[in-house]
Structure formats: structure tokens, C-alpha cells
């Protein structure tokens, strides 16, 4: 399972490293220390926190609608595999994106919860790039 530094987690969440440190110090985000004493966040923990944070931030707000084509860097929060098709969810800051693709593509890219990924949105399609 991949782990993230405070700085990388901050970039994925769209906040400052100091904010991530405060969340960790307050016990909102679990961290562990590596051999050098640097704080790390497990990918699955960061994925769960990003979903909860997005839900908190947008309680009672209406969703924004746009026709802009964008690339959303984020973290994979769910992978559901069927016999032929698969569903991958990415939390990119406040945005939750869901892509339907082939199971073969998911396995070929090695996509899993807690991994960094980029969702590329063009018209009604979402393409996933492994970061």
C-alpha cells in the first residue's frame, strides 16, 4: 500500500501542508513515522479522509455545473470489478469522479484504492491516467 508525505497529501487535498499537519495533530488523519522520523499517511487512510472532507465541505451546497473539460488529480477511493467491466472512483479535492472502464484496463494499470490517479474529463467520458 502506498503512503504519502504531508506535502503530497496537501497537494492532493488542495490545502497547505500546515493544514494537513494540524489535522494529523488533532487526530483527524492517522499518520505513522518512517525510519527517518518523517510522517506518512497510508493511501487508504488518505482516500477515506478525502471523501469525508469533501462531504463536510459541501453539506447543504448546490453542486456546480460546468461544460469545461478538465483533468482532476486525486486519489482512488473505490474500485469495483465485474466480470468484464469495472468502476473506479476518484476523489479530487471536493470533486468525486466515477469512471466505467474495462476490468482489463483496471488490472493492466494496477489501479487500487489509495493510489494517486488523474481523471481526464472530455464530454461525457472520464479517462483514468495512473500518476
Amino acid at each position: 500500500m502506498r503512503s504519502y508525505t504531508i506535502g503530497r497529501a496537501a497537494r492532493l487535498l488542495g490545502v497547505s501542508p500546515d493544514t494537513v499537519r494540524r489535522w494529523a495533530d488533532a487526530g483527524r488523519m492517522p499518520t505513522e513515522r518512517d525510519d527517518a522520523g518523517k510522517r506518512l499517511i497510508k493511501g487508504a487512510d488518505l482516500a477515506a479522509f478525502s471523501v469525508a472532507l469533501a462531504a463536510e465541505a459541501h453539506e447543504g451546497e448546490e453542486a456546480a455545473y460546468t461544460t469545461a473539460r478538465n483533468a482532476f488529480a486525486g486519489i482512488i477511493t473505490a474500485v469495483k470489478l465485474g466480470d468484464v467491466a469495472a468502476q473506479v472512483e476518484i476523489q479530487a479535492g471536493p470533486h468525486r469522479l466515477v469512471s466505467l472502464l474495462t476490468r482489463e484496463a483496471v488490472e493492466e494499470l494496477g489501479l487500487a484504492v489509495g493510489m494517486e490517479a488523474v481523471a481526464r474529463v472530455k464530454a461525457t467520458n472520464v479517462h483514468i491516467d495512473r500518476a
Side-chain angles (χ1 to χ4, degrees):
M1 170 69 59
R2 181 170 178 178
S3 292
Y4 295 90
T5 64
I6 296 287
R8 188 67 189 144
R11 285 189 295 280
L12 289 169
L13 295 171
V15 299
S16 73
D18 285 337
T19 298
V20 174
R21 282 187 202 92
R22 282 192 295 275
W23 286 335
D25 291 344
R28 290 188 65 193
M29 180 183 301
T31 61
E32 52 190 33
R33 296 206 182 257
D34 65 9
D35 295 336
K38 197 175 201 178
R39 285 202 282 193
L40 298 173
I41 303 160
K42 289 182 183 176
D45 291 336
L46 182 58
F49 182 80
S50 68
V51 171
L53 185 64
E56 280 176 25
H58 296 288
E59 286 178 359
E61 289 182 17
E62 285 190 41
Y65 295 97
T66 180
T67 58
R69 295 176 181 170
N70 294 301
F72 296 88
I75 188 163
I76 297 174
T77 58
V79 176
K80 299 173 185 162
L81 297 174
D83 291 337
V84 176
Q87 178 178 314
V88 177
E89 294 181 25
I90 293 178
Q91 190 71 42
H95 309 288
R96 177 179 166 264
L97 298 115
V98 179
S99 179
L100 300 176
L101 54 163
T102 65
R103 178 186 182 122
E104 180 182 11
V106 170
E107 290 171 344
E108 217 171 85
L109 290 171
L111 300 178
V113 170
M115 288 180 65
E116 223 176 309
V118 177
R120 298 198 184 277
V121 179
K122 182 178 178 185
T124 59
N125 297 315
V126 176
H127 303 270
I128 306 294
D129 297 338
R130 181 174 173 177

